[in-house]
């Protein structure tokens, strides 16, 4: 490498800046739609081809740009939005760096038609590889139309990093969804390969827009939140405790109407739910924080998804207190559910207490009550084989298969752990993890042969976001193989027609939501088998006996039987331990007997 210092050419500098601003089609969509919003548009139309990888077209009815300014749009740091440094702390608009348009034009071909409503003629400009190829007066409707093609053609490295078209399309749609949530006054229509995938007409207020964008499932299970502290206002909607998701992706935060990610605020949301939803489940929330521009720095991240609050502790406080208050106010019996906020009592959904009919039915033949008494005494629980397996020291069992020979069932602890004593120590089994492994192996074994499905008496319609629907469309056959029959129903719903016969008791709505989240998480992974296993694990998790359910001895015996014959039975499909050993030696040491 030569040590000479050179000033980068404008083209290279733009490409470097583009790397920060324009990572993938979704970033282009985000920048262009933000510009339309900044231009005062009330109608924004987005057309994507091949997930936004082939072309992105945006049409708005905003202010347009006058002929003299059009060339400037493509110059770095050309912006109509700030004139003094201090302005960046006050801008209410999205843009102000004047970086997006030149960055996009340096990695793609941009064709723009624009006209101010007050002008007679508009302008057509074509920019390619950062250079203006053509700029001429042209007739066009008021507002701005931009078409971006040849995306990343001159940056093969970036093109290689793009994911599959469905994933890229999903990310584009996510970007639009966030903007649509914060701007109910703007109409959005999104088309993918000519088909409309999102239609959000102008809404009167944010709650109406949320219902349109988040789906009726969320809007049917949400609570309004409203709080204020000094000059910070918080408002929005949060999910009731019965509506949970398997990750925190459904927590949307907007600061001064700008979507941001903020761990501090997410933490505050989760802390308000900690005592009332199961571990490892997450709420959904759409929250808006409005505060004076001087109290928040939006200029910390090039893609502006992060902000820095002047006083993040008081924000945390406001969010967690407001949400906790709203949940507590809703803490009244509903449909037989009682949500308690006292820290010791977790919310027990009624079916946590009932034995799972699927589980019993599965084993009914084998384990009738009399048979069970015999089975319990004759075999499982009193099996005192001489070949008792050695108990491994330490807390986690080694990943040896579990075998109950020589162990006696002592009972259930915390309605979650099963205790067995043997001659050399005792073991705890996590009933949920154990059953999850059993169901998962059953599903896996039969998925090749096609799992028998059981039609639902009434097919159930489950609402999803348009992006999730798109992901589902690639898995219809696989889901059919595991006994889950679904059909796509319009832009934002799926009809569940049949469930796997071995898991007839699961709720279609919950399982579809779980699978949707797996698909979003897994879509970037190239290994199809791995993705399918994650779907099976999600099914198994929903179908398995929950923690916090009392089990009869019959159920325990059946569970142990099945567990002994399940492969990889020392861990659940997510890799958590099913069994923990306490050896006699360890216990003796604890009591200082050794
Ligand atoms: P920024 O948004 O940070 O100012 P951009 O590169 O995104 O920078 O845009 C540069 C300028 O181009 C904007 O300041 C605005 O004046 C103009 N512009 C871009 N898109 C539009 C649009 N859809 N309608 C009107 N003006 C636009
Ligand atoms: Mg901009």
């Amino acid at each position: 490498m030569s040590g000479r210092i050179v000033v980068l050419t404008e083209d290279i500098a733009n490409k470097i800046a583009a790397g920060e601003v324009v990572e993938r089609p979704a970033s282009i969509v985000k920048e262009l739609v933000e510009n339309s919003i900044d231009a005062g548009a009330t109608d924004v139309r987005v057309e994507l081809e091949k997930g936004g990888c082939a072309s992105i077209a945006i049409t708005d009815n905003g202010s347009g740009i006058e002929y003299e300014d059009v060339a400037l749009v493509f110059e770095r740091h050309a912006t109509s939005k700030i004139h003094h440094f201090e302005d960046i702390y006050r801008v209410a608009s999205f843009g102000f760096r004047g970086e997006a348009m030149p960055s996009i034009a340096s990695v793609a071909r941009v064709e723009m038609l624009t006209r101010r409503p007050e002008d007679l003629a508009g302008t057509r400009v074509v920019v390619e590889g950062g250079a203006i190829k053509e700029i001429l007066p042209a007739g066009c409707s008021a507002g701005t139309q931009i078409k971006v093609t040849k995306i990343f053609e001159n940056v093969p490295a970036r093109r290689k990093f793009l994911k599959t078209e469905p994933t890229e399309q999903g990310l584009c749609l996510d970007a639009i969804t966030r903007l649509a949530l914060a701007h109910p006054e703007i109409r959005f229509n999104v088309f993918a390969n000519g088909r409309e995938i999102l239609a959000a007409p102008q809404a009167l207020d944010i709650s109406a827009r949320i219902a349109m964008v988040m789906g009726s499932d969320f809007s049917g299970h949400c609570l309004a939140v409203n709080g204020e502290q000094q000059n910070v206002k918080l408002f929005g909607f949060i999910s009731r405790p019965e509506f949970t998701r398997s990750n925190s992706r459904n927590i949307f935060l907007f600061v001064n109407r700008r979507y941001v990610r903020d761990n501090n605020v997410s933490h505050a949301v989760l802390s308000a739910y900690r005592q009332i939803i199961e571990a490892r489940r997450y709420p959904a929330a759409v929250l808006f924080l409005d505060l004076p521009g001087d109290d928040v720095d939006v200029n910390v991240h090039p893609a502006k998804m992060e902000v820095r609050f002047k006083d993040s502790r008081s924000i945390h406080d406001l969010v967690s207190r407001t949400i906790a208050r709203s949940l507590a106010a809703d803490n009244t019996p509903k449909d037989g559910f009682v949500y308690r906020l006292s820290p010791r009592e977790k919310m027990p959904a009624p079916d946590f207490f009932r034995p799972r009919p699927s589980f019993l039915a599965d084993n009914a033949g084998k384990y009738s009550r009399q048979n069970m008494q015999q089975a319990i005494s004759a075999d499982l629980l009193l099996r005192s084989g001489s070949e008792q397996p050695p108990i491994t020291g330490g807390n986690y069992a080694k990943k040896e298969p579990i075998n109950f020979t020589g162990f006696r069932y002592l009972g259930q602890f915390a309605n979650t752990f099963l205790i067995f004593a043997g001659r050399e120590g005792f073991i705890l089994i996590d009933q949920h993890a154990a059953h999850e492994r059993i169901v998962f192996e059953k599903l896996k074994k039969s998925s090749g042969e096609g799992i028998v499905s059981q039609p639902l008496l009434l097919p159930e319609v489950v609402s999803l976001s348009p992006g999730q629907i798109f992901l589902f469309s690639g898995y219809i056959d696989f889901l059919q193989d595991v006994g889950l029959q679904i059909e796509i129903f319009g832009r934002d719903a799926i009809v569940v027609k049949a469930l796997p016969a071995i898991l007839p008791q699961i709720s279609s709505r919950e399982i579809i939501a779980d699978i949707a989240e797996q698909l979003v998480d897994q879509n970037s992974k190239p290994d199809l088998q791995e993705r399918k296993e994650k779907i099976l694990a999600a099914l198994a998790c929903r179908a398995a006996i929950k923690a916090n359910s009392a089990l009869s001895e019959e159920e325990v015996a059946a569970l142990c039987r099945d567990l002994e014959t399940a492969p990889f039975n020392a861990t659940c499909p997510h890799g958590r331990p099913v069994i923990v050993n306490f050896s006699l030696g360890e216990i003796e040491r604890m009591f200082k007997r050794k």
Side-chain angles (χ1 to χ4, degrees):
M1 227 200 249
S2 109
R4 296 284 302 280
I5 295 178
V6 291
V7 175
L8 297 176
T9 64
E10 173 118 354
D11 178 47
I12 294 177
N14 275 336
K15 274 193 197 159
I16 293 172
E20 290 183 19
V21 182
V22 191
E23 202 189 352
R24 53 177 3 113
S27 0
I28 300 179
V29 169
K30 169 182 174 283
E31 294 294 340
L32 296 181
V33 175
E34 284 183 349
N35 280 345
S36 297
I37 296 173
D38 283 346
T42 56
D43 194 340
V44 177
R45 178 187 170 101
V46 182
E47 287 155 280
L48 307 170
E49 297 294 331
K50 302 202 165 165
C53 303
S55 82
I56 297 168
I58 313 256
T59 307
D60 71 44
N61 64 348
S63 62
I65 306 165
E66 64 175 312
Y67 184 82
E68 285 73 31
D69 283 351
V70 168
L72 277 178
V73 167
F74 298 94
E75 259 171 48
R76 274 185 84 196
H77 307 305
T79 175
S80 55
K81 298 165 194 172
I82 59 166
H83 300 285
H84 304 287
F85 180 73
E86 293 69 35
D87 291 348
I88 70 168
Y89 293 101
R90 263 171 239 121
V91 279
S93 63
F94 287 104
F96 55 76
R97 288 164 176 261
E99 250 169 15
M101 296 303 292
S103 297
I104 295 167
S106 74
V107 294
R109 177 183 194 271
V110 178
E111 185 183 336
M112 178 158 102
L113 268 168
T114 183
R115 177 169 74 82
R116 299 192 305 174
E118 61 268 38
D119 294 340
L120 285 176
T123 311
R124 178 172 185 272
V125 60
V126 179
V127 191
E128 203 173 328
I132 294 182
K133 301 277 170 201
E134 183 191 319
I135 179 161
L136 286 170
C140 61
S141 46
T144 303
Q145 301 166 44
I146 295 177
K147 184 160 186 180
V148 185
T149 50
K150 301 191 178 172
I151 297 163
F152 298 137
E153 254 187 36
N154 60 354
V155 208
R158 196 154 290 274
R159 210 167 167 94
K160 255 199 295 206
F161 277 105
L162 295 185
K163 308 262 166 68
T164 60
E165 281 170 23
T167 302
E168 294 299 338
Q169 180 177 312
L171 292 169
C172 291
L173 203 54
D174 283 349
I176 301 165
T177 299
R178 292 168 192 151
L179 291 163
L181 277 173
H183 294 277
E185 73 285 2
I186 301 176
R187 169 181 161 166
F188 289 90
N189 294 83
V190 184
F191 295 80
N193 305 323
R195 199 167 59 92
E196 188 166 47
I197 57 170
L198 176 84
Q202 281 191 331
L204 285 180
D205 57 23
I206 282 182
S207 64
R209 177 53 60 88
I210 287 175
M212 266 173 234
V213 176
M214 297 279 286
S216 52
D217 257 10
F218 175 75
S219 51
H221 292 91
C222 70
L223 299 171
V225 288
N226 254 302
E228 197 167 351
Q229 184 168 287
Q230 279 139 17
N231 39 19
V232 185
K233 276 206 190 68
L234 169 70
F235 69 101
F237 292 85
I238 56 168
S239 56
R240 285 218 170 90
E242 74 269 20
F243 179 101
T244 62
R245 291 293 178 252
S246 64
N247 58 44
S248 58
R249 214 183 271 269
N250 292 286
I251 300 175
F252 293 90
L253 172 66
F254 298 84
V255 173
N256 295 343
R257 298 296 157 99
R258 188 192 303 264
Y259 172 81
V260 302
R261 278 195 278 245
D262 188 84
N263 289 337
N264 176 51
V265 172
S266 302
H267 180 270
V269 174
L270 298 178
S271 71
Y273 281 88
R274 192 169 300 140
Q275 305 303 339
I276 51 172
I277 63 180
E278 280 175 74
R280 294 188 291 272
R281 301 291 301 174
Y282 298 85
V286 182
L287 297 175
F288 295 87
L289 273 171
D290 282 347
L291 66 170
D294 295 343
D295 289 345
V296 57
D297 185 356
V298 295
N299 201 19
V300 286
H301 190 275
K304 296 185 284 292
M305 294 265 246
E306 283 168 23
V307 289
R308 197 177 295 133
F309 296 108
K310 229 187 212 167
D311 186 356
S312 62
R313 262 185 62 187
S314 80
I315 302 275
H316 186 284
D317 207 52
L318 171 66
V319 171
S320 66
R321 254 186 322 106
T322 309
I323 294 181
R325 186 157 26 85
S326 175
L327 289 166
D330 187 53
N331 180 19
T332 45
K334 270 186 201 73
D335 309 331
F337 283 72
V338 181
Y339 302 116
R340 299 188 185 85
L341 281 168
S342 85
R344 299 254 221 80
E345 288 173 277
K346 286 208 172 156
M347 176 198 70
D351 67 338
F352 288 6
F353 291 115
R354 251 183 275 128
R356 285 262 151 180
S358 59
F359 172 61
L360 279 181
D362 228 21
N363 295 288
K366 275 194 282 180
Y367 301 111
S368 69
R369 188 156 266 280
Q370 294 102 318
N371 283 351
M372 275 311 304
Q373 296 307 338
Q374 287 159 14
I376 291 170
S377 53
D379 181 21
L380 193 83
L381 305 177
L382 289 175
R383 246 194 273 161
S384 50
S386 46
E387 52 343 358
Q388 193 179 99
I391 292 180
T392 47
N395 273 342
Y396 287 98
K398 299 276 176 322
K399 301 210 168 150
E400 290 160 7
I402 297 172
N403 183 306
F404 291 97
T405 305
F407 284 92
R408 193 159 48 91
Y409 177 54
L410 292 185
Q412 207 184 7
F413 171 64
N415 277 351
T416 300
F417 306 102
L418 311 175
I419 312 174
F420 297 82
R423 247 187 294 150
E424 298 294 320
F426 71 91
I427 55 178
L428 293 176
I429 298 279
D430 178 322
Q431 65 194 36
H432 173 72
H435 199 211
E436 234 180 346
R437 170 58 73 186
I438 295 167
V439 177
F440 175 78
E441 292 301 331
K442 251 187 225 171
L443 285 170
K444 210 168 105 179
K445 196 163 149 225
S446 29
S447 62
E449 304 143 22
I451 295 179
V452 181
S453 56
Q454 180 169 313
L456 294 177
L457 242 39
L458 290 173
E460 195 170 344
V461 179
V462 180
S463 76
L464 289 171
S465 75
Q468 289 172 325
I469 294 287
F470 191 79
L471 290 177
F472 260 93
S473 58
Y475 287 88
I476 292 182
D477 289 346
F478 171 70
L479 292 172
Q480 171 97 38
D481 278 350
V482 299
L484 192 68
Q485 263 181 42
I486 60 163
E487 262 172 37
I488 306 230
F489 186 60
R491 267 194 306 263
D492 55 3
I494 267 177
V495 193
V496 182
K497 298 208 149 163
L499 291 172
I502 52 170
L503 329 164
Q505 298 300 321
I506 54 175
S507 131
S508 355
R509 190 158 52 77
E510 289 173 346
I511 194 61
I512 291 295
D514 286 356
I515 294 176
E517 277 165 23
Q518 289 301 334
L519 294 182
V520 173
D521 278 348
Q522 299 300 319
N523 205 269
S524 51
K525 299 237 167 93
D527 184 352
L528 186 65
Q529 187 55 30
E530 193 183 327
R531 275 185 261 160
K532 288 180 171 178
E533 289 197 356
K534 292 276 187 211
I535 294 178
L536 295 184
L539 275 165
C541 181
R542 276 291 175 186
I545 319 166
K546 298 280 181 286
N548 261 323
S549 5
L551 294 188
S552 67
E553 291 205 337
E554 288 91 326
E555 290 175 296
V556 172
L559 183 73
C560 295
R561 269 289 166 78
D562 287 350
L563 187 62
E564 277 190 334
T565 53
F568 313 111
N569 62 14
T571 56
C572 80
H574 307 101
R576 289 190 292 272
V578 164
I579 178 172
V580 172
N581 278 337
F582 294 85
S583 73
L584 184 58
E586 257 178 300
I587 295 163
E588 285 175 336
R589 272 195 295 282
M590 286 179 200
F591 286 99
K592 310 281 181 224
R593 285 174 164 273
K594 260 189 172 173

